[in-house]
Amino acid sequence: MTTHVTVTGEAVASLRETADPRLRELLSGLIRHLHAFARETRLTQAEWERAIGFLTETGQMCTDTRQEFILLSDVLGLSMLVETINGDRAAGSTESTVLGPFHMTESPVRELGADIDLVGGGEPCVVSGRIVSGDGTPLPGAVLDVWQADGNGFYDVQRPDVQPPGNGRGLFTTDAEGRFWFRTCVPSPYPIPTDGPVGELLKATGRHPYRPAHIHFIASADGHTPVTTHIFVAGSDYLDSDAVFAVKQSLVEDFTPTDDPSLAREFGIANPFRHARFDLVLERSS
C-alpha cells in the first residue's frame, strides 16, 4: 500500500522502463525534488490547487507572440541558472545571457547600416562593432540577429497597432572584415508584462517588474558556437536589480554621446547621436 513515506520511491520506480536514460534521469530528479519540496513546506491541498490554477493561467496567457512560461522562468531566476550552467565559454568570449520572451518572430533581413527604429521618437543611436573569433580573427559572413524595445519600452509584438511588424529587429550579415553597424534608438528601461499571472506573482512578492536598458543579440558563424546575449546601457536604472537577473558586468557598454557631423553623415544619422562600439567574440566549436 502506498504511504507518504513510500510514494516517492514508487513514483521513481515507475520510470524504470523509460527507454531514454536522460529522460529517466530528469523525471526521477524532478519527482524527488518536488516531493521533497512538498514535505519541507508541508504543502496543503488548497495551496497545490492554487499552484495548478496559476500554471493553467500561465499557459492560457501564451500566444504566438507572448510566452508567459518563459517570463515565469525568467523572474524565478531559472532561465539565468540554466543559461549559466550551460554557458561556460573560453576566456575572452562574449558571455551569454537569457533569451527573453520576445524573440518570437523572424527578424527581417536588413542591409548593414539600416535603421531598425521604424517609428522614431527615441534618441538616435548607432551600434557598431565586429564579430570575431577567440583569437581576434574577423568573421566575415557571420549572422547577427538583433531585437529591442522601442523608445517607450515596448516590443513590436506588444503593440501591433502602434509598431509595424519587425520594428526594432534586424538580421544582419557582417562584411569582409567581420564588421556590423546599424542605426536605432537608445533603448530605455521598461517593465516586463504585468497583466498576467507572472505580474500577479511579482505584485504578491513585492518585486518591481523593470529591466535595465538593453539590446538583444544572437551572433553565429560557421565553425563557432552561437551566443545569445544582451548589451546593457551603462548607467541605466535597474542594472543592479534586473527583474530577470540577466545582467553580467562584461555586457555593460557605454552608449557614448557623439557630436561629429562628418561621422553622422557617414552613418546617415542626425547629429548629435549616441554611439555604442563593441565586438562580439565567438568560441570555436569543438
Side-chain angles (χ1 to χ4, degrees), residues 15-27:
L15 303 172
R16 57 182 170 270
E17 300 300 325
T18 306
D20 184 336
R22 178 59 174 167
L23 177 60
R24 184 169 61 252
E25 179 186 11
L26 291 172
L27 290 177

Side-chain angles (χ1 to χ4, degrees), residues 147-162:
W147 68 105
Q148 70 170 86
D150 68 3
N152 295 313
F154 292 97
Y155 289 85
D156 56 347
V157 295
Q158 291 179 282
R159 303 179 78 187
D161 56 329
V162 175

Side-chain angles (χ1 to χ4, degrees), residues 257-275:
T258 303
D259 187 352
D260 186 332
S262 62
L263 188 59
R265 284 193 298 272
E266 180 182 336
F267 283 124
I269 196 168
N271 190 64
F273 61 99
R274 300 272 290 278
H275 193 179

Side-chain angles (χ1 to χ4, degrees), residues 20-212:
D20 184 336
R22 178 59 174 167
L23 177 60
R24 184 169 61 252
E25 179 186 11
L26 291 172
L27 290 177
S28 297
L30 178 64
I31 289 170
R32 287 193 295 268
H33 285 283
L34 279 176
H35 286 212
F37 165 78
R39 290 190 177 95
E40 177 187 341
T41 62
R42 298 192 63 81
L43 187 67
T44 69
Q45 188 69 34
E47 289 165 342
W48 181 229
E49 289 174 0
R50 179 66 189 96
I52 291 173
F54 176 83
L55 293 174
T56 301
E57 293 167 12
T58 300
Q60 291 169 340
M61 201 72 186
C62 295
T63 68
D64 290 341
T65 58
R66 175 165 174 171
Q67 234 305 343
E68 193 79 359
F69 272 111
I70 290 180
L71 200 61
L72 177 59
S73 174
D74 289 349
V75 303
L76 293 177
L78 183 59
S79 298
M80 193 60 178
L81 175 60
V82 172
E83 182 279 321
T84 302
I85 291 171
N86 294 278
D88 289 340
R89 297 179 182 273
S93 297
T94 297
E95 291 193 279
S96 59
T97 191
V98 300
L99 179 68
F102 291 114
H103 188 250
M104 303 295 296
T105 61
E106 183 176 347
S107 296
V109 175
R110 301 193 191 278
E111 297 293 327
L112 291 173
D115 193 346
I116 66 172
D117 178 17
L118 308 181
V119 296
E123 186 177 3
C125 175
V126 171
V127 176
S128 66
R130 299 179 305 158
I131 300 180
V132 300
S133 191
D135 62 1
T137 303
L139 295 175
V143 175
L144 185 65
D145 192 357
V146 179
W147 68 105
Q148 70 170 86
D150 68 3
N152 295 313
F154 292 97
Y155 289 85
D156 56 347
V157 295
Q158 291 179 282
R159 303 179 78 187
D161 56 329
V162 175
Q163 299 185 48
N167 184 57
R169 301 178 189 267
L171 193 65
F172 298 94
T173 300
T174 59
D175 69 6
E177 297 179 38
R179 297 178 299 182
F180 65 86
W181 64 95
F182 59 90
R183 292 169 289 157
T184 185
C185 63
V186 178
S188 61
Y190 63 85
I192 60 175
T194 58
D195 58 340
V198 172
E200 294 175 7
L201 177 63
L202 292 178
K203 183 178 179 180
T205 54
R207 289 176 54 188
H208 75 71
Y210 286 91
R211 300 216 57 208

